[in-house]
Amino acid sequence: MNKTALITGITGQDGAYLAMFLLEKKYRVIGCYRRSSTVNFWRLIELEIFEESNLVLVDLDITDPMNVCSVVRKYRPNEIYNLAAQSFVASSFENPVITTNINSLGPLYFLEAIKLIDKNIRFYQASTSEMYGKIQNPSQDENTPFYPRSPYAASKLYAHWITINYRESYGIFAACGILFNHESPLRGEEFVTKKITLAVAKIKYGLQKTLYLGNLNARRDWGYAKDYVKGMWQILQAEKPDNYVLATGKNETIRNFAVLAFRTADMEIKFEGDKENEIGIDIKTGNSVIRIDKKHYRPAEVDTLLGNPKKANNELSWKATTSLEKLAEIMVEYDLKSIGT
Ligand code: NAP
Ligand code: F7E
């Protein structure tokens, strides 16, 4: 019989790609979304899975424990992927309580539901490289100590440990994917890669003059979301539940990602100046296309992240397959096409 997977956060980047991946594997997918005044199924439409008969969309705000229980009881999934979150780090400083309610309590409600309803349900928790925060080792793996630097990271750290606790206390197959940044054309527009690639397309078409960014020196280990959702599934197919880092093992600065993205659209950028006065100049036109706006600085920054995915490579045969250059190209081309039409 075909398996049933329940995905929270189906309207988000990863939820949409994971749903597509599981539908291709012939799963029945219970896609949980929260009701809002305007429908936001655009990613499912973009991936052409919105009308799939094996996709069942269910209204579930994961901060409602009763509804979490009744949805788990009703659909009895084989696997639950908890991807729903207030996932924007900057916003977590403004909204720490709601961030914690969603990111910490949401997974706890699911773990309790599994404990009460059916301990055979496998559970995936979307843990994050942000938990390493102020890094305690130059490259981070499953054994590196955590040091969260935002309400988002702290909320995810609770979820990470409570998942491990339910695994150890009740023998539930509860696993954590510690995923480093992963991007795609379907990335939310406030995240820095998508903000840059969208601005590249708008600047190219004369619809925007300047891109305002924050800390250009931060370094991230960026991969392609499509590779990472496959890893989520592999984590739940393992023999035993565990924690796995998914990352590329390479990192780059925001500044250099911007250079790559502009280059894809035939614009060479050179940087001049320092700190808040740094400017990115389009060499051909002499226009200042990148400037700094301090409002994008964070109260506490995660300066650098670099994942070590050796365990996932060895135990799951998982590997990131997309270079940063290719990722920038995929994203810019998508944005050029969508802005240009
Ligand atoms: P995303 O695009 O921001 O999607 C988040 C999803 O959570 C959206 O579907 C959102 O629904 C939903 N959501 C938020 N609050 C909810 C609530 N109270 N009840 C039900 N649904 C709710 O995030 P993503 O990039 O796909 O990331 C997926 C997960 O992986 C998140 O947990 C994130 O923290 C984690 N993660 C992401 C990365 C990354 O680089 N992308 C890395 C590590 C970990 P709306 O559409 O209604 O807002
Ligand atoms: O920032 C710097 C910013 O918002 C990356 C989430 O998916 O990945 C994501 O969190 C870096 C930071 O992602 C701007 O200060 C500079 O150092 O794209 P971001 P994030 O904070 O790394 C992790 C793994 C998650 O788990 C999260 O859910 O870029 N930066 N200038 C900027 N960032 C933004 N957003 N906007 C700027 O203008």
Side-chain angles (χ1 to χ4, degrees), residues 193-209:
T193 55
K194 180 68 176 177
K195 184 174 167 184
I196 291 171
T197 60
L198 200 55
V200 167
K202 288 185 177 168
I203 290 169
K204 184 82 182 169
Y205 284 112
L207 300 171
Q208 184 176 336
K209 279 203 173 118

Side-chain angles (χ1 to χ4, degrees), residues 11-14 34 40 61-62 83 85 87 152 156 179 182:
T11 57
Q13 170 189 262
D14 291 3
R34 56 175 170 174
N40 62 349
D61 188 314
I62 66 160
L83 309 186
S87 75
Y152 169 77
K156 283 284 188 174
L179 271 53
H182 46 279

